[in-house]
Amino acid sequence: QYILQRINAHVFPTPQHIADNLRLLAGYLPKTAPDYLFAAPLPADNGQYMINIDGDDYRLLPFIASSHTVDFLTESGQAYEAARQFGKFTSLFKGFDTGRLKYPLTDFHNLDLRRTQFHKALNKAKAERVVKAKAEIDAVEANAGITDTYNSLWRNNLTLRGRHQDSKISNVLFDADNKGRCVIDLDTVMPCY
């Protein structure tokens, strides 16, 4: 069983970057972590991880039986398992040369940019929308210091590594006992601090 997936070119304008990154990572893991369940696309007969048909890019992924995803936490153990899987994934590539990875989404985790975009949207928003979203706006403003802390950390202490970059609960596969098996949806793997 397989999953055939079309890459959304509106979200990922350079899908070849995704395919190139996954090819590199898939080549690295057998040497360092051969038992890790790496849910990467399968190579086609020509060795490529993506095929273009009529202007659309497609890939074939293995269907991982006896697994499931969750969209919302139903128990605290799921959060722990998800965090463990993302941490494990990052640690698997600690020796990998991140200079070889490409950026499928430029500025995906640029917190300064996101803060600027937030303020631009807030300034353009209609008054009734601002009132309706007051609690959420206040929460963002109250936590604005996170950006400064993050910037300070990566400038001074953190090592550039290949990371998943989209660490939401639905990007983890769980087994029947809600134990994490692996991370999925690897399109956003790119260098990050």
Side-chain angles (χ1 to χ4, degrees), residues 107-127:
D107 287 325
F108 188 54
H109 277 289
N110 181 337
L111 295 184
D112 290 326
L113 173 66
R114 299 296 180 220
R115 190 158 62 178
T116 299
Q117 290 171 327
F118 169 75
H119 285 109
K120 281 183 181 178
L122 189 57
N123 289 333
K124 290 180 178 181
K126 293 181 180 179

Side-chain angles (χ1 to χ4, degrees), residues 44-57:
D45 290 343
N46 64 3
Q48 297 298 312
Y49 283 72
M50 189 174 56
I51 301 294
N52 188 285
I53 301 171
D54 297 330
D56 288 319
D57 294 299

